[in-house]
C-alpha cells in the first residue's frame, strides 16, 4: 500500500475518531464475508474527555428540546419512520417542529439525519443529497453556536455542535475533502469534550464519549502509523466504550438506534463476536422491516452463522423491494441478496441455472455501483468460472477467471486459483 493510501485511510479513520458522534462505522459497510470460503457452508491539541458521568450543577435545562419528554413523545413516530425509510412522513414531522422552533438546531439536525440515511444505503456512491445534507448541518451549527454564545453552560448546544460537525466531517472524508473533514473533526472533538460534562443528564450525551473510548484504542491497534499522532489524545478504553454504547443503545431516544448500529458493526467486524451482534441486527431488521441497510446486514450475519433459511427469507424480501423501487433498496443491497441467493441455489438446492442467474445479477449490481474490488463480486465470478469449467465451457470460464485475476488480491486463494487455471488454459 502506498504512503498516500496509508495517509488517506489513516486520516479518514482519524476523522471518525474526532467526529465520532452520530456517525457511521469507520468501515463503510460490513465486509462481504471474512470467514466463509467459496463452496464452504458454514497539528492536534491535547483534549481530555472525562469518562465519569457527572451532573453539572451550573446547567439550566429549561427549554432544552433534547430532554423534553413531550417532544420525544411527539417525535417517536417520526424517528420510527426515519429508520424505516419512510422519509416523507418523518420529515413532515421534523418540519412541523421547525415551524415552532425555527431558531433551534434540533429540527435542522433531524432533517440532516434523515438526509444522511438517504445517502448511507448507497455506500456513499450517491452525491445527489450532499448539498442538502451540508445545508441542514450548517444551519444546525449556526443555531447551536448562538445557543452556547448566549449561555456557555448550554450543553444541548454543545451536543448538536459535536453531532453536526461529526456528520459533516464524515461525509467530507468520504468525498476526500480532507481540509474540510479535518476542520470539522477538530470542532467535533472540542464540542464533545464540552458536552460530555452533561453525561449524567441523559444517555444522549454519552454516545460521543463511548465512540471515542473505543476508537482511541482501535485506531492505533489497526493503523500503527497513526500512533505518533494519537499520542496527543487521552487513552481510550474499548470495553468501557462498548459498555457505554450498550447503555446508549438501551436507554437513549435520539441516539439509541445509532448506538445499536455501531454496536452490531463493532461486534461483528472488529470484535469477531457475530453471535453477540446477531440479536442487535435481528432486532433492527424486524423493527424496521423496510430499512434495506439493516436488512442486508442481518442477512450477512445469518449467512455468516449458517442460518440459511432466514438468510434466504431476508434476501428474497430485499430483491422484491428492489424490484418495486422501494426507497433505500439500492445496488448494494442487491449485491448482497443476489449473492446469497446464488450461493444457496448452488450449494443448498443444487439448481445451477438459478445459481448462475443470481451470480450474474450480483455482478451487474456490483458493477453498476462500482463495488468490484472484492467480496461478493469476486466470489460470484469465481463460482461462475468453476461452473463453466465443469461444463467444459472454456471461453466462459476464461472470461470469469480473467476478472478474478485482474481484481483479486495477489495473495488470495481466488487469485492463485484463477492464475493457475489461466496458465493451463
Amino acid at each position: 500500500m502506498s504512503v498516500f493510501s496509508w495517509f488517506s485511510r489513516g486520516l479518514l479513520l482519524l476523522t471518525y475518531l474526532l467526529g465520532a458522534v452520530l456517525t457511521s462505522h469507520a468501515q463503510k459497510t460490513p465486509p462481504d464475508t471474512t470467514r466463509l470460503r467459496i463452496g464452504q457452508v458454514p497539528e492536534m491539541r491535547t483534549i481530555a474527555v472525562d469518562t465519569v458521568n457527572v451532573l453539572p450543577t451550573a446547567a439550566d435545562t429549561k427549554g432544552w428540546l433534547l430532554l423534553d419528554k413531550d417532544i420525544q413523545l411527539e417525535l417517536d413516530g417520526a424517528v420510527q419512520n426515519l429508520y424505516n425509510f419512510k422519509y416523507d412522513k418523518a420529515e413532515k414531522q421534523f418540519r412541523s417542529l421547525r415551524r415552532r422552533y425555527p431558531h433551534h438546531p434540533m429540527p435542522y439536525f433531524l432533517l440532516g439525519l434523515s438526509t444522511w440515511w438517504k445517502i448511507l444505503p448507497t455506500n456513499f456512491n450517491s452525491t445527489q443529497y450532499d448539498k442538502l445534507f451540508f445545508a441542514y448541518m450548517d444551519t444546525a451549527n449556526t443555531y447551536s453556536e448562538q445557543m452556547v454564545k448566549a449561555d456557555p453552560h448550554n450543553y444541548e448546544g454543545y451536543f448538536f455542535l459535536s453531532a453536526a460537525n461529526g456528520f459533516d466531517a464524515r461525509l467530507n472524508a468520504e468525498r476526500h475533502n480532507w481540509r474540510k473533514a479535518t476542520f470539522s473533526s477538530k470542532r467535533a472533538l472540542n464540542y464533545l469534550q464540552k458536552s460530555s460534562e452533561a453525561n449524567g443528564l441523559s444517555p444522549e450525551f454519552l454516545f460521543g464519549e463511548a465512540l471515542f473510548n473505543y476508537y482511541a484504542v482501535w485506531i492505533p491497534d489497526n493503523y500503527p502509523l497513526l500512533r505518533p499522532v494519537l499520542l496527543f489524545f487521552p487513552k481510550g478504553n474499548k470495553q468501557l466504550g462498548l459498555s457505554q454504547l450498550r447503555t446508549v443503545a438501551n436507554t437513549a431516544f435520539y441516539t439509541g438506534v445509532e448506538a445499536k448500529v455501531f454496536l452490531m458493526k463493532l461486534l461483528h467486524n472488529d470484535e469477531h463476536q457475530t453471535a453477540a451482534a446477531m440479536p442487535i441486527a435481528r432486532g433492527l431488521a424486524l423493527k424496521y422491516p423496510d430499512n434495506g441497510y439493516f436488512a442486508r446486514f442481518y442477512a450477512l450475519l445469518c449467512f455468516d452463522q449458517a442460518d440459511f433459511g432466514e438468510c434466504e427469507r431476508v434476501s428474497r424480501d430485499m430483491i422484491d423491494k428492489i424490484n418495486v423501487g422501494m426507497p433505500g433498496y439500492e445496488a448494494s443491497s442487491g449485491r448482497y441478496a443476489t449473492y446469497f441467493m446464488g450461493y444457496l441455489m448452488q450449494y443448498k438446492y443444487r439448481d445451477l441455472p438459478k445459481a448462475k442467474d443470481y451470480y450474474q445479477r450480483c455482478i451487474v449490481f456490483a458493477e453498476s455501483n462500482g463495488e468490484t474490488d472484492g467480496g461478493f463480486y469476486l466470489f460470484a465470478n469465481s463460482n461462475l468460472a468453476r461452473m463453466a469449467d465443469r461444463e467444459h465451457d472454456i471461453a466462459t470460464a476464461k472470461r470469469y477467471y480473467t476478472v478474478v485475476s485482474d481484481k483479486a488480491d495477489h495473495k488470495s486463494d481466488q487469485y492463485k486459483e484463477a492464475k493457475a487455471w489461466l496458465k493451463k488454459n
Side-chain angles (χ1 to χ4, degrees):
M1 184 179 292
S2 69
V3 174
F4 177 76
S5 180
W6 266 108
F7 176 77
S8 297
R9 292 183 66 184
L11 182 54
L12 179 59
L13 287 164
L14 188 58
T15 295
Y16 296 149
L17 174 59
L18 298 177
V21 179
L22 285 176
T23 64
S24 189
H25 191 282
Q27 298 172 332
K28 295 181 185 177
T29 56
D32 292 338
T33 179
T34 56
R35 291 185 283 281
L36 289 176
R37 297 289 190 267
I38 294 296
Q40 174 190 346
V41 177
E43 190 162 310
M44 297 284 181
R45 66 188 185 91
T46 302
I47 298 177
V49 179
D50 186 5
T51 61
V52 179
N53 297 341
V54 295
L55 185 65
T57 57
D60 178 6
T61 63
K62 183 178 180 180
W64 287 17
L65 300 189
L66 194 64
L67 305 184
D68 191 316
K69 297 300 181 183
D70 291 333
I71 295 293
Q72 289 185 13
L73 183 63
E74 174 190 339
L75 293 180
D76 182 63
V79 172
Q80 303 304 313
N81 282 324
L82 188 162
Y83 289 112
N84 207 31
F85 287 0
K86 302 296 185 287
Y87 305 115
D88 291 343
K89 292 182 179 180
E91 291 172 6
K92 182 178 180 181
Q93 291 180 268
F94 296 154
R95 285 191 292 269
S96 175
L97 186 70
R98 182 177 61 181
R99 285 193 293 270
R100 285 175 288 138
Y101 301 96
H103 304 299
H104 195 284
M106 178 181 279
Y108 303 97
F109 178 79
L110 291 173
L111 286 164
L113 183 62
S114 180
T115 309
W116 171 263
W117 277 94
K118 296 175 184 177
I119 301 171
L120 185 58
T122 73
N123 265 6
F124 299 98
N125 285 298
S126 174
T127 60
Q128 69 179 103
Y129 302 108
D130 284 22
K131 289 184 178 180
L132 183 61
F133 170 81
F134 285 124
Y136 280 135
M137 291 306 173
D138 184 61
T139 305
N141 269 321
T142 297
Y143 288 123
S144 297
E145 288 170 348
Q146 293 176 4
M147 292 170 67
V148 299
K149 184 177 181 180
D151 177 11
H153 295 290
N154 191 320
Y155 299 105
E156 182 184 42
Y158 293 127
F159 171 85
F160 284 112
L161 279 167
S162 182
N165 277 282
F167 268 113
D168 182 282
R170 174 71 195 280
L171 188 57
N172 270 308
E174 293 290 347
R175 304 301 183 224
H176 295 179
N177 299 324
W178 301 119
R179 183 183 62 81
K180 292 180 179 179
T182 302
F183 176 76
S184 295
S185 297
K186 292 167 72 174
R187 284 170 55 89
L189 186 55
N190 180 50
Y191 293 126
L192 171 60
Q193 178 195 23
K194 296 179 182 297
S195 69
S196 66
E197 297 177 23
N199 284 353
L201 289 174
S202 167
E204 312 290 352
F205 294 95
L206 188 60
F207 187 34
E209 184 179 321
L211 295 178
F212 183 93
N213 273 320
Y214 187 89
Y215 282 112
V217 178
W218 185 89
I219 289 178
D221 283 350
N222 289 271
Y223 291 85
L225 290 179
L226 285 175
R227 287 175 183 169
V229 178
L230 292 172
L231 291 175
F232 292 93
F233 293 85
K235 293 182 178 180
N237 183 322
K238 284 176 66 175
Q239 294 308 311
L240 176 59
L242 290 173
S243 176
Q244 290 172 326
L245 274 178
R246 289 188 177 95
T247 297
V248 178
N250 292 329
T251 60
F253 178 78
Y254 296 103
T255 59
V257 174
E258 300 291 335
K260 289 177 182 178
V261 173
F262 268 96
L263 191 56
M264 73 174 182
K265 294 177 74 173
L266 290 174
L267 289 172
H268 174 67
N269 294 345
D270 302 306
E271 299 299 310
H272 307 299
Q273 298 177 22
T274 299
M278 177 64 86
I280 305 172
R282 183 185 298 112
L284 288 171
L286 295 180
K287 186 172 184 178
Y288 307 104
D290 291 335
N291 185 311
Y293 186 83
F294 294 159
R296 75 192 193 209
F297 201 103
Y298 179 44
L300 172 69
L301 298 197
C302 289
F303 184 78
D304 185 88
Q305 297 288 287
D307 186 351
F308 296 125
E310 185 70 349
C311 180
E312 180 178 350
R313 182 192 69 79
V314 178
S315 296
R316 288 187 183 277
D317 185 61
M318 282 195 285
I319 292 171
D320 288 343
K321 290 174 178 177
I322 292 169
N323 289 339
V324 297
M326 286 187 63
Y329 284 81
E330 314 286 346
S332 289
S333 295
R335 182 172 57 94
Y336 279 65
T338 51
Y339 176 77
F340 295 147
M341 289 304 299
Y343 185 94
L344 293 173
M345 290 299 157
Q346 182 180 5
Y347 294 107
K348 180 179 179 180
Y349 296 108
R350 308 295 178 181
D351 189 333
L352 297 189
K354 287 186 179 180
K356 291 178 183 179
D357 179 63
Y358 280 118
Y359 284 142
Q360 288 163 353
R361 291 166 68 182
C362 176
I363 290 172
V364 171
F365 278 125
E367 291 178 342
S368 71
N369 215 27
E371 296 176 312
T372 61
D373 292 335
F376 300 143
Y377 180 73
L378 292 182
F379 290 162
N381 275 281
S382 291
N383 278 346
L384 287 167
R386 289 197 190 100
M387 285 189 279
D389 181 47
R390 284 194 290 268
E391 295 169 355
H392 306 291
D393 185 348
I394 303 303
T396 300
K398 184 175 182 179
R399 184 171 76 251
Y400 289 124
Y401 271 131
T402 298
V403 172
V404 177
S405 176
D406 290 342
K407 294 286 187 177
D409 187 298
H410 287 195
K411 296 181 181 180
S412 70
D413 292 338
Q414 291 170 304
Y415 175 81
K416 294 174 183 177
E417 176 189 332
K419 292 297 289 186
W421 189 93
L422 291 169
K423 185 176 181 180
K424 290 180 182 180
N425 296 274

